[in-house]
Amino acid sequence: LKTQIVECAAVANWVFSKEMVPEFSKCYIWEIVHLTIRKMNKHVAKLQKDASEARKAIEYSDSDSSDSEDESRGRRKNKPAERPTEDQVEKLEDKLEAAQADQKNLFLIIFQRFIMILSEHLVRCDTDAVD
C-alpha cells in the first residue's frame, strides 16, 4: 500500500462502505484496516524524523558559523555534506502538517464509520430480537 498511489482515507472509506458489510467478520478486512493505519503512522513518523533532523542541521550550522573560524573548520569535517535551506525545512514541515491532518482524518473516518455500522447492526439485532 503506497500512500502516493491510494490514499489511506480511500481505503478506510472502501472498507466501511455498505458493499463491504458482509465481509466484516472476515479477518482480511481487519488486517487491511490495521495495515492502513500502520502505513499512515510510519509515513508521519518518517516525516517527523526528517523535519526534526533538517531543523537540527540548520541550528547546528547556525551555531557553527558563530564559532571561531578554526573551530568551525574542524567541525565541518564531521558534518554532513549539505545543509538544508530554510525553504526546504519549511516544505518538510508543511508535508508533515499535511500528513498529520491526513492521519487525523483517517482515524476520524475509521471511528465514525465503525460506530455507524455497529449502531446499524445493533438496531437490526434489536428489531430481529437477536442477541
Side-chain angles (χ1 to χ4, degrees):
L1 179 68
K2 291 259 188 194
T3 53
Q4 297 87 1
I5 297 172
V6 178
E7 291 185 17
C8 294
V11 174
N13 283 323
W14 169 72
V15 166
F16 291 103
S17 65
K18 295 283 185 198
E19 296 82 24
M20 296 300 291
V21 170
E23 304 293 317
F24 282 161
S25 61
K26 309 265 174 46
C27 193
Y28 79 92
I29 289 295
W30 300 105
E31 185 67 21
I32 290 171
V33 171
H34 174 76
L35 291 173
T36 302
I37 293 169
R38 187 173 353 153
K39 183 67 175 176
M40 178 56 79
N41 289 345
K42 282 184 178 183
H43 180 64
V44 169
K46 181 187 179 302
L47 290 174
Q48 282 175 328
K49 180 181 171 234
D50 292 347
S52 174
E53 287 175 354
R55 181 59 64 195
K56 285 180 185 175
I58 284 183
E59 290 171 2
Y60 177 77
S61 176
D62 290 345
S63 69
D64 192 31
S65 63
S66 65
D67 290 342
S68 71
E69 192 64 30
D70 291 337
E71 289 177 6
S72 64
R73 272 190 222 135
R75 288 184 188 169
R76 282 188 191 139
K77 292 176 185 173
N78 298 332
K79 204 169 77 165
E82 214 172 293
R83 173 186 173 259
T85 64
E86 281 289 334
D87 287 340
Q88 290 171 330
V89 173
E90 285 179 25
K91 286 179 184 177
L92 280 172
E93 289 172 347
D94 289 344
K95 282 183 184 180
L96 174 61
E97 286 178 24
Q100 287 172 331
D102 289 344
Q103 184 182 40
K104 180 180 176 181
N105 186 42
L106 174 66
F107 281 113
L108 285 172
I109 289 169
I110 291 171
F111 292 140
Q112 288 174 342
R113 302 284 160 80
F114 182 76
I115 290 169
M116 285 173 31
I117 289 174
L118 187 59
S119 298
E120 290 171 7
H121 177 72
L122 291 174
V123 168
R124 261 194 317 270
C125 286
D126 285 346
T127 58
D128 296 344
V130 175
D131 285 335

